[in-house]
Amino acid sequence: QVQLVQSGSELKKPGASVKVSCKASGYTFTSYPTNWVRQAPGQGLEWVGWINTNTGNPTYAQGFAGRFVFSLDTSVSTAYLQIAGLEAEDTAIYYCVTVVPNSGVGWGQGTLVTVSS
Amino acid sequence: QAVVTQEPSLTLSPGETVTLTCGSSTGAVTSGHYPCWFQQKPGQAPTTLIYGTINKESWTPARFSGSLLGGKAALTLSGAQPEDEADYYCLLSYSGTWVFGGGTKLTVL
């Protein structure tokens, strides 16, 4: 069963950076991509993009290229989302999500990133 | 970029049946869009109900089912329970690009 465990909540000042981790278990990490999804307060779900966990190649959704960077540490089955130059509008819960065909769609528990001075 | 549309809100009474739909601005939804349905209750992370159009997770109650209906993906809830009150999101994949619907707020009262 797909299990994704994310790092804890973060409080950052505008202009700072944050790195969110997502540790996978229950499947072969490098066989299926890790997606990232954002949910701003009171809003719906928004796809940020995905990273090919075999090659490390990232794909960013429209509006997320530049300050958002995906990375991996395959030795510990972990994906990372780093956001640079944080803005108040980046305040949201960030989820990692993985689809394992014929097995299901796993979600991390979410990481709340709060940007406030 | 494609736009995925859902009913903004639906209300039903316990025991009733409801169908939520998920349409695509690009045309008919097919199994190739790998439709998924997620349930989200206040303060909780989304949980997967349906993936790949019709497949259920091990925890998905039997009263939920997924299908394609009239060119859209559909989530049918047969015999609603009070605990089914939640937000429901559909997800369509367009050659690896994901697009979420705006969500349906389902009220059971």
Side-chain angles (χ1 to χ4, degrees):
Chain A
Q1 185 170 325
V2 177
Q3 288 199 322
L4 302 172
V5 178
Q6 298 184 226
S7 49
S9 298
E10 301 270 8
L11 174 60
K12 296 290 185 180
K13 294 189 184 306
S17 295
V18 69
K19 193 170 186 177
V20 176
S21 67
C22 170
K23 183 171 177 59
S25 62
Y27 68 101
T28 303
F29 178 69
T30 52
S31 293
Y32 307 101
T34 297
N35 288 264
W36 291 93
V37 173
R38 179 170 81 175
Q39 187 170 37
Q43 301 300 308
L45 302 173
E46 182 178 24
W47 184 62
V48 178
W50 64 281
I51 184 165
N52 184 318
T53 51
N54 185 40
T55 66
N57 185 49
T59 299
Y60 302 99
Q62 263 185 328
F64 289 98
R67 296 190 300 113
F68 291 73
V69 177
F70 305 145
S71 61
L72 302 170
D73 184 344
T74 56
S75 68
V76 289
S77 300
T78 299
Y80 301 93
L81 164 64
Q82 186 163 3
I83 310 171
L86 284 164
E87 305 168 354
E89 292 70 30
D90 295 324
T91 294
I93 299 174
Y94 292 84
Y95 297 99
C96 55
V97 187
T98 295
V99 176
V100 178
N102 302 318
S103 183
V105 180
W107 288 73
Q109 82 275 22
T111 297
L112 173 62
V113 175
T114 303
V115 183
S116 174
S117 54
Chain B
Q1 176 170 311
V3 175
V4 176
T5 55
Q6 299 182 243
E7 298 84 3
S9 64
L10 293 168
T11 300
L12 71 166
S13 299
E16 291 187 333
T17 294
V18 66
T19 296
L20 286 65
T21 67
C22 176
S24 172
S25 62
T26 63
V29 176
T30 70
S31 58
H33 291 101
Y34 205 81
C36 298
W37 291 92
F38 308 106
Q39 179 190 66
Q40 187 176 36
K41 296 183 178 180
Q44 298 182 18
T47 58
T48 306
L49 291 175
I50 301 289
Y51 62 97
T53 309
I54 61 170
N55 301 295
K56 298 181 183 183
E57 297 279 7
S58 58
W59 53 80
T60 303
R63 60 185 179 273
F64 288 96
S65 62
S67 65
L68 295 176
L69 195 64
K72 297 182 179 182
L75 176 70
T76 299
L77 170 55
S78 303
Q81 301 297 309
E83 60 265 30
D84 298 328
E85 185 163 296
D87 293 327
Y88 292 82
Y89 294 93
C90 71
L91 168 65
L92 299 179
S93 177
Y94 298 82
S95 300
T97 296
W98 285 9
V99 182
F100 286 94
T104 295
K105 183 175 185 62
L106 188 68
T107 302
V108 181
L109 51 75

